[in-house]
Amino acid sequence: MSKVAVIYWSGTGNTEEMAQSVKAGAEKAGAAVDLFEVESFPAEKFGEYDGFLFGCPAMGDEVLEEGSYEPFFASVEDKLSGIPVGLFGSYGWGGGAWMEEWAERTRGDGAKLVGDGLAVENSPSDEDLANCEALGQSLVAAL
């Protein structure tokens, strides 16, 4: 059975809600899935996972959350080559440029990016949550 980690940061609860749906989709596709807030992910366990779903909302000038998520993501980038990865998050302003930049960065790391990143404006709708489940399923299909 494939093992997937969903690692997210959420300030308002929107990205957390998305993380729950991404997890549900990956589980429906047959993977064993662990859900972590970024601060609680044990870095020494990185190698135990076959794929990753990373979630972070747009912050500031459309960047990843800088206190914990950006340092975490920077610390794992050199381990992503050849690994299936999905990206998701919410935003409340701008046009989602942070997700485009994050996706390009992740491709540059050599990851097998599933889709182009799922960006949801504000609180996720039922359709958005269904898209989150589909992202989780797509990641498992890429393993």
Side-chain angles (χ1 to χ4, degrees):
M1 175 180 284
S2 298
K3 193 169 180 184
V4 173
V6 178
I7 306 167
Y8 73 95
W9 186 92
S10 187
T12 63
N14 294 337
T15 301
E16 181 178 13
E17 189 175 2
M18 294 175 73
Q20 295 287 346
S21 291
V22 166
K23 178 182 185 279
E27 288 174 335
K28 284 180 184 176
V33 185
D34 293 325
L35 181 70
F36 300 95
E37 289 187 64
V38 68
E39 295 90 354
S40 67
F41 180 75
E44 67 276 4
K45 299 214 178 232
F46 190 88
E48 296 179 12
Y49 294 92
D50 303 304
F52 295 88
L53 291 152
F54 296 116
C56 186
M59 301 295 289
D61 190 24
E62 289 209 62
V63 296
L64 296 176
E65 188 276 329
E66 296 174 302
S68 57
Y69 211 90
E70 174 58 39
F72 159 75
F73 193 76
S75 77
V76 300
E77 283 185 276
D78 65 342
K79 299 175 180 96
L80 296 179
S81 184
I83 304 288
V85 169
L87 306 176
F88 64 94
S90 62
Y91 64 99
W93 61 91
W98 109 101
M99 184 59 74
E100 293 171 16
E101 291 171 10
W102 192 16
E104 190 58 35
R105 177 179 173 183
T106 304
R107 282 187 197 96
D109 294 330
K112 295 179 183 176
L113 189 63
V114 176
D116 293 321
L118 179 59
V120 170
E121 188 173 6
N122 297 315
S123 182
S125 67
D126 288 344
E127 180 181 349
D128 294 327
L129 295 175
N131 289 336
C132 289
E133 282 197 25
L135 175 63
Q137 292 170 336
S138 294
L139 180 91
V140 174
L143 296 175

